[in-house]
Amino acid sequence: MHEISVLYKAVELAEQTAKDNGISHLSYITLEVGELSGYLPVFFEKYFPVVIENRPVFKDCELKMIIARGEGLCLECNAMYNIMANEGKCPKCGSRYKKILGGQQFLLKEIGFEEEKE
Ligand SMILES: [Zn+2]
């Protein structure tokens, strides 16, 4: 279960970014989770309320996620394909010899906030 520790890091990063910019409340944060990162988005949803507990800057903060597709380039026939959907095998020629083009990332993509009204 590595999700909770990376989620802590993302939340701490968002909190620090908010602090550095004088933002008192975040309305949402967006994580980008690659299909091949090994992290399951369902766990981020589950742990998010726990991780943001006792952090006022995250009160009623929404967790958004962008799932980045795991794309592969077949090194036999140059076809591009979705690695997850094809179980790592080129759908055109059946080769497993490939270059991974994306979908391994996990990052804090965006933080959302509303301007303070004076
Ligand atoms: Zn191929």
Side-chain angles (χ1 to χ4, degrees):
M1 220 72 79
H2 302 293
E3 283 84 356
I4 196 153
S5 59
V6 293
L7 186 58
Y8 262 110
K9 285 201 182 111
V11 161
E12 276 162 11
L13 179 62
E15 192 174 39
Q16 191 57 49
T17 305
K19 208 187 230 175
D20 291 347
N21 292 284
I23 299 162
S24 58
H25 179 244
L26 294 174
S27 48
Y28 67 88
I29 67 167
T30 307
L31 301 177
E32 185 171 314
V33 186
E35 279 182 334
L36 305 174
S37 67
Y39 300 129
L40 296 173
V42 62
F43 287 115
F44 292 125
E45 276 166 13
K46 187 174 158 192
Y47 295 137
F48 188 64
V50 179
V51 172
I52 65 170
E53 213 177 19
N54 301 322
R55 294 174 196 259
V57 73
F58 291 101
K59 193 173 184 292
D60 300 322
C61 180
E62 186 191 346
L63 175 65
K64 297 185 182 185
M65 276 182 280
I66 297 168
I67 308 302
R69 286 162 57 92
E71 298 288 350
L73 174 68
C74 178
L75 295 175
E76 300 285 352
C77 73
N78 290 322
M80 281 240 306
Y81 64 95
N82 182 277
I83 293 171
M84 294 296 276
N86 295 287
E87 296 174 338
K89 225 162 67 182
C90 174
K92 221 167 138 190
C93 74
S95 170
R96 291 187 173 273
Y97 189 47
K98 62 185 171 293
K99 189 178 179 197
I100 294 170
L101 301 177
Q104 293 171 300
Q105 71 271 50
F106 170 79
L107 48 102
L108 176 64
K109 183 87 174 168
E110 193 183 10
I111 62 173
F113 62 93
E114 281 156 30
E115 295 288 337
E116 297 284 317
K117 298 207 171 53
E118 303 271 324

